[in-house]
Amino acid sequence: MDTNAFENYQLGEELLKSLAILKFKKTTKVQHAVIPSVLDNKDMVVKSQTGSGKTAAFAIPICEKIDWEENRPQALVLTPTRELAMQVKQDFFNIGRFKRIKVVAVYGKHSFTTEQKDLKQKTHVVVGTPGRVLDHLERGTLMLDAITHLVIDEADEMLNMGFIEQVEKIIERVPRNRVTLLFSATLPDDIEKLSKKYMKEPAYITIQQEEKISSKIEHVLYEVNDKDKEQSLINVTIAENADSCIIFCNTKQAVDDLFEKMKSLNYTCEKIHGGMEQEDRTRVMADFKRGYFRYLIATDVAARGIDIENIALVINYDIPQNKESYVHRIGRTGRAGKTGKAITFMALYEEKFLMDIEEYIGFKIPHKELPDNEKVKELIAAFEEKMSVRAKLKEDKGIGLGQEIMKLHIASGKKSKMRPVDIVGTLSNLEGMTANDIGIINVQDVSTFVEILNNKGNMVFEALQTTPIKGRLRRVSKANQ
Ligand code: AMP
């Protein structure tokens, strides 16, 4: 018997079903330590890195503990960045799908009104950045009185970003009778103090990362002159001819400039940085994950916490100015047993940054000669050929779940006094339907969205063309997922 199999933990059928579809078979180390402890209502301080499966480590037991009937939020997850908030929301959504867990993410630059509307409906889990969570608390649009689980994710990063005071203000408003979990890659004094002040005899666990940096990554350093930097990059990309590559710059401006340059040279590329609209950032990340384009030009925004599998090549076009950033950036490659390559450009006057990085990672990054023009000429045909065809699109992780679930749009909402019970009433009277086949119901002003589970979407869609809801026939269509 495999003791790490999810079946051996105290988890309900609905969760086991989502985990099976997500192809999570066994717990990772951090999950093995955290799941039973949370199920047992214990506080925990967990030192572990992204990539260890830590999101699911808290999402799984929290979904298990949630009381579906309760309409007020029962779990609050604080994250330092919007990207991480959205990712955590998606993970909760995937894991809690068959239990019909409702998750709302709140973060800066997102529409406050939309969040406010979402929060008015049944919400089990709220994931948010500290500033926006506080905004909601101050305006009375988020209630914390039913919170039973509080998670502080990437606590050290909250500290680095100056959010700790805000985090404390939030913690003070969460009911004391709760389970508190704190995740952090490092445990500086301030984080220890925080845990002592706000947690109840937490268990401290450290999930050893095998190594700070995967041994599957080849590191290369090229010395470049500022004036030849762009050309050197072009030569390197031709010589490497990677299937997928992130190019990191230190500033938004540098990302913008390099993106324009690469676009003008017909690279299949996109950019991402903190100055862009949230919607654009989300789209770019999603497209990159699926492989719609090969080159992503990014600031460090894209380096933290984001789970992109299998990037062949990372190029530090600008050498990172802090040592941790090197590790985070190159952590995008060499994942899940795959090999990867990390190339760093450095001007001579930037040597101090290199020394810092090398001391931190504990080895010297091998210096190499840039590919010469001869070599580039030889390789250009292969490069152009690859650039002219689109890569094979990767499967979206949630896709297995989506196939069993269809989202329907009903052209009637709060304005015509539609309530979730009206929908449940109609749907459960359809032949072959039970309450368990109905997923999340989201009643908006003039629309209602309802998820139909277990492959019954088409059947319900057909039936609703001729079945009245709340006394009238409604316009029902398949919503874009
Ligand atoms: P995280 O550390 O939360 O960023 O997770 C890293 C990656 O591991 C994510 O892509 C998860 O979907 C995946 N993952 C988490 N738990 C498991 C598991 N038990 N089995 C397989 N993959 C997992």
Side-chain angles (χ1 to χ4, degrees):
M1 187 177 78
D2 190 341
T3 49
N4 278 25
F6 278 106
E7 285 75 15
N8 296 324
Y9 296 76
Q10 306 287 316
L11 301 171
E13 282 303 315
E14 289 138 331
L15 281 187
L16 291 177
K17 191 169 167 192
S18 327
L19 294 172
I21 291 183
L22 288 166
K23 301 199 172 69
F24 291 7
K25 295 190 177 75
K26 296 193 294 184
T27 48
T28 64
K29 275 191 206 160
V30 66
Q31 290 161 1
H32 181 68
V34 172
I35 294 173
S37 184
V38 179
L39 291 176
D40 207 16
N41 299 323
K42 300 251 170 52
D43 283 6
M44 260 188 144
V45 174
V46 183
K47 204 169 146 191
S48 76
Q49 316 269 346
T50 46
S52 56
K54 71 178 168 62
T55 316
F58 60 79
I60 292 170
I62 289 178
C63 285
E64 181 62 37
K65 284 267 168 175
I66 276 170
D67 170 10
W68 194 88
E69 299 293 330
E70 171 62 65
N71 290 332
R72 293 166 300 171
Q74 294 160 64
L76 175 66
V77 182
L78 299 176
T79 68
T81 64
R82 300 168 221 155
E83 275 76 16
L84 188 58
M86 287 189 294
Q87 188 163 313
V88 170
K89 173 186 165 177
Q90 188 62 41
D91 287 356
F92 261 101
F93 182 72
N94 286 340
I95 290 167
R97 202 145 188 184
F98 290 104
K99 201 174 163 184
R100 295 182 290 144
I101 300 292
K102 294 199 69 169
V103 197
V104 174
V106 300
Y107 44 84
K109 288 204 179 157
H110 186 222
S111 153
F112 193 91
T113 333
T114 309
E115 293 178 359
Q116 190 177 354
K117 274 191 189 157
D118 287 347
L119 289 170
K120 266 196 189 151
Q121 306 223 6
K122 181 193 264 293
T123 301
H124 299 115
V125 182
V126 176
V127 185
T129 51
R132 183 53 74 93
V133 169
L134 270 183
D135 282 353
H136 280 287
L137 290 177
E138 271 150 26
R139 295 204 219 170
T141 44
L142 170 62
M143 294 296 153
L144 298 184
D145 47 332
I147 296 287
T148 51
H149 290 82
L150 172 69
V151 180
I152 303 158
D153 199 7
E154 301 208 341
D156 53 349
E157 200 51 20
M158 303 261 202
L159 189 72
N160 290 343
M161 293 169 81
F163 292 161
I164 281 297
E165 262 179 42
Q166 294 177 327
V167 170
E168 286 202 46
K169 273 194 192 158
I170 297 168
I171 301 180
E172 296 196 341
R173 298 178 65 164
V174 180
R176 276 174 196 275
N177 190 11
R178 58 160 193 257
V179 173
T180 310
L181 304 171
L182 184 147
F183 289 80
S184 200
T186 55
L187 286 182
D189 286 349
D190 285 359
I191 300 290
E192 291 238 39
K193 268 191 221 145
L194 190 84
S195 66
K196 294 218 164 75
K197 192 165 164 195
Y198 294 104
M199 298 174 72
K200 290 183 300 263
E201 298 170 16
Y204 285 81
I205 61 156
T206 299
I207 303 298
Q208 286 298 353
Q209 251 209 332
E210 271 81 66
E211 53 221 324
K212 209 178 256 162
I213 288 180
S214 157
S215 56
K216 299 219 159 54
I217 301 176
E218 181 192 352
H219 302 255
V220 176
L221 187 96
Y222 290 128
E223 227 177 87
V224 293
N225 289 321
D226 285 343
K227 72 173 178 30
D228 304 326
K229 205 168 171 182
E230 277 183 6
Q231 189 57 47
S232 304
L233 178 74
I234 292 162
N235 289 355
V236 167
T237 53
I238 293 171
E240 297 295 332
N241 200 9
D243 283 332
S244 59
C245 169
I246 305 190
I247 301 173
F248 283 106
C249 301
N250 289 348
T251 64
K252 296 174 201 166
Q253 188 61 49
V255 167
D256 285 338
D257 294 347
L258 189 60
F259 171 66
E260 287 309 321
K261 176 77 189 175
M262 292 183 70
K263 212 169 58 168
S264 72
L265 294 171
N266 293 327
Y267 277 79
T268 70
C269 60
E270 282 283 357
K271 62 176 176 178
I272 185 165
H273 60 57
M276 288 160 52
E277 290 291 333
Q278 188 55 46
E279 243 175 52
D280 293 332
R281 288 162 59 170
T282 312
R283 178 189 52 81
V284 168
M285 285 316 287
D287 287 355
F288 189 54
K289 278 189 191 182
R290 292 217 58 204
Y292 276 108
F293 56 89
R294 292 185 199 276
Y295 292 87
L296 177 66
I297 305 149
T299 54
D300 283 291
V301 159
R304 251 245 170 213
I306 300 303
D307 159 43
I308 315 174
E309 280 169 16
N310 199 15
I311 304 294
L313 175 66
V314 169
I315 300 179
N316 292 312
Y317 184 70
D318 293 328
I319 189 166
Q321 299 194 343
N322 77 58
K323 52 189 194 286
E324 289 93 354
S325 177
Y326 182 81
V327 175
H328 291 139
R329 287 182 182 186
I330 65 153
R332 306 297 103 213
T333 182
R335 280 159 84 98
K338 303 253 171 36
T339 52
K341 190 162 182 179
I343 291 177
T344 301
F345 281 10
M346 181 196 74
L348 268 184
Y349 60 84
E350 293 172 319
E351 216 170 354
K352 59 178 183 302
F353 300 124
L354 177 70
M355 285 163 63
D356 240 19
I357 292 167
E358 288 182 334
E359 194 190 280
Y360 184 62
I361 60 178
F363 59 87
K364 293 257 174 223
I365 304 176
H367 287 225
K368 294 218 167 131
E369 289 293 318
L370 280 159
D372 59 32
N373 288 343
E374 279 301 296
K375 179 147 190 230
V376 170
K377 256 192 213 143
E378 262 170 45
L379 295 171
I380 197 149
F383 174 78
E384 282 176 351
E385 191 188 326
K386 189 177 268 188
M387 197 65 72
S388 65
V389 291
R390 193 161 81 175
K392 193 165 158 280
L393 292 185
K394 294 175 197 139
E395 198 180 84
D396 190 344
K397 273 227 168 111
I399 224 155
L401 291 163
Q403 280 165 354
E404 293 207 0
I405 296 174
M406 182 186 288
K407 196 172 186 179
L408 296 178
H409 172 251
I410 301 166
S412 168
K414 282 184 201 143
K415 291 219 165 120
S416 37
K417 305 257 180 319
M418 190 62 78
R419 296 160 307 160
V421 299
D422 301 318
I423 309 285
V424 174
T426 308
L427 294 182
S428 31
N429 276 328
L430 296 176
E431 210 185 308
M433 281 290 284
T434 69
N436 287 338
D437 300 322
I438 306 168
I440 293 167
I441 300 176
N442 186 348
V443 183
Q444 301 184 345
D445 285 346
V446 293
S447 297
T448 298
F449 292 91
V450 53
E451 287 190 342
I452 310 297
L453 314 181
N454 305 325
N455 281 324
K456 296 190 178 167
N458 270 321
M459 185 264 278
V460 173
F461 169 72
E462 295 296 335
L464 290 182
Q465 306 305 318
T466 51
T467 311
I469 309 175
K470 215 169 184 239
R472 278 179 48 193
L473 218 48
R474 313 280 173 174
R475 190 151 50 78
V476 178
S477 52
K478 293 180 188 171
N480 287 338
Q481 302 264 343

